[in-house]
Amino acid sequence: MWGYADTGDEGNGPSASIINKYLEAQDNHHHALDGASMEVDINASVPNLKEAGRLHALRRISKVGRISYRVEGFQGDNAVKNQVIARYLEAEQQAHAKQDLAITPANYKLKYKGERAVQGDRYVYVFELAPRRKRAGLFKGEMWLDASSYLPVYEKGRFVKNPSIFFRKVEFERAYGIQNGVPVPEYMASTIQTRLVGRVEVNVSYSNFALDAAGPGNAAEGESVETAACSLP
């Protein structure tokens, strides 16, 4: 269970020091996931239409930071695959390529909310985030930083500008694990309120993370790889 260790107070002292260490950690790990691979399971559903689907794929980030997917299997409704999951993959690729959407003081007002205890003897620093401008990809919410590494372990919020005219509201949460000093995605959950079909839910889980070239997400040279920008088979 999560619990508060200290409510903390906003101020230049502790918050400025934590933010500086966070920015330094982010800079040091900016390309840490380049060349990494992992397995991904994407579960999506449209409750009002009683349609759902599950896609399993191998996800790889190239040495230059480009995301690609190799689809291993799909079960469910094709409409969910093509209209929900494929669009999610494309949006993820586009967001990953935009470095100017990073959580930094240039893009966000960061308000320190205090230190929070997690399982065992671990602690996180909690920041409230407010975008400095209304722009697609920025969100209002929270970020939790691991108190030992100053790397993000949890983010949640609501996008301040919808990425599509068909969306009314997009809320999400995502978690990271720290493996060998590297922040690795663990899961992401989104709830999208659309104008046409109502609520859409997307849940993504990651596993079998590897940094070396022999990792599970790598494809042999010349092998066909499904990218986020392509239609799914």
Side-chain angles (χ1 to χ4, degrees):
M1 295 294 294
W2 303 90
Y4 282 101
D6 182 11
T7 58
D9 295 310
E10 182 184 10
N12 293 330
S15 63
S17 176
I18 294 169
I19 291 172
N20 286 336
K21 291 179 179 178
Y22 156 69
L23 293 174
E24 181 180 356
Q26 287 290 86
D27 187 59
N28 291 337
H29 295 84
H30 183 64
H31 296 289
L33 293 182
D34 291 354
S37 60
M38 64 200 73
E39 296 184 36
V40 59
D41 287 288
I42 304 174
N43 291 276
S45 64
V46 185
N48 286 352
L49 300 182
K50 296 182 179 179
E51 294 184 343
R54 177 182 179 273
L55 180 140
H56 179 76
L58 300 177
R59 178 181 186 263
R60 184 173 187 267
I61 305 175
S62 73
K63 291 295 185 180
V64 295
R66 183 173 182 269
I67 294 178
S68 62
Y69 287 86
R70 187 174 69 199
V71 176
E72 295 290 295
F74 176 80
Q75 294 179 325
D77 297 292
N78 285 330
V80 172
K81 178 179 69 174
N82 296 322
Q83 300 300 321
V84 178
I85 296 179
R87 291 185 179 184
Y88 163 77
L89 295 179
E90 183 175 1
E92 188 216 20
Q93 185 185 50
Q94 293 173 350
H96 185 82
K98 294 182 179 179
Q99 301 299 332
D100 55 351
L101 297 178
I103 301 176
T104 64
N107 291 328
Y108 289 90
K109 296 178 182 179
L110 293 88
K111 183 178 181 181
Y112 182 53
K113 302 299 291 183
E115 190 175 356
R116 185 175 294 185
V118 300
Q119 294 97 331
D121 57 354
R122 294 180 58 231
Y123 292 87
V124 296
Y125 300 122
V126 180
F127 281 86
E128 182 180 285
L129 306 178
R132 294 188 179 275
R133 56 194 180 280
K134 192 173 182 179
R135 182 182 178 187
L138 300 181
F139 67 95
K140 182 177 181 180
E142 283 188 355
M143 173 179 68
W144 298 5
L145 302 178
D146 175 64
S148 298
S149 65
Y150 296 92
L151 293 170
V153 292
Y154 181 72
E155 298 163 359
K156 71 174 181 178
R158 174 181 176 181
F159 287 115
V160 294
K161 186 175 182 180
N162 292 326
S164 169
I165 61 173
F166 299 105
F167 295 167
R168 297 176 58 191
K169 182 172 66 174
V170 180
E171 296 177 319
F172 74 93
E173 63 175 9
R174 52 193 173 210
Y176 305 86
I178 308 299
Q179 297 187 25
N180 298 321
V182 177
V184 178
E186 290 187 339
Y187 77 86
M188 189 282 299
S190 293
T191 300
I192 305 167
Q193 298 293 340
T194 71
R195 300 184 186 279
L196 299 179
V197 297
R199 187 174 82 255
V200 173
E201 297 177 348
V202 180
N203 295 287
V204 185
S205 59
Y206 304 87
S207 60
N208 295 330
F209 170 78
L211 276 175
D212 57 272
N218 286 280
E221 185 175 355
E223 182 178 355
S224 176
V225 176
E226 296 294 337
T227 67
C230 297
S231 298
L232 298 180

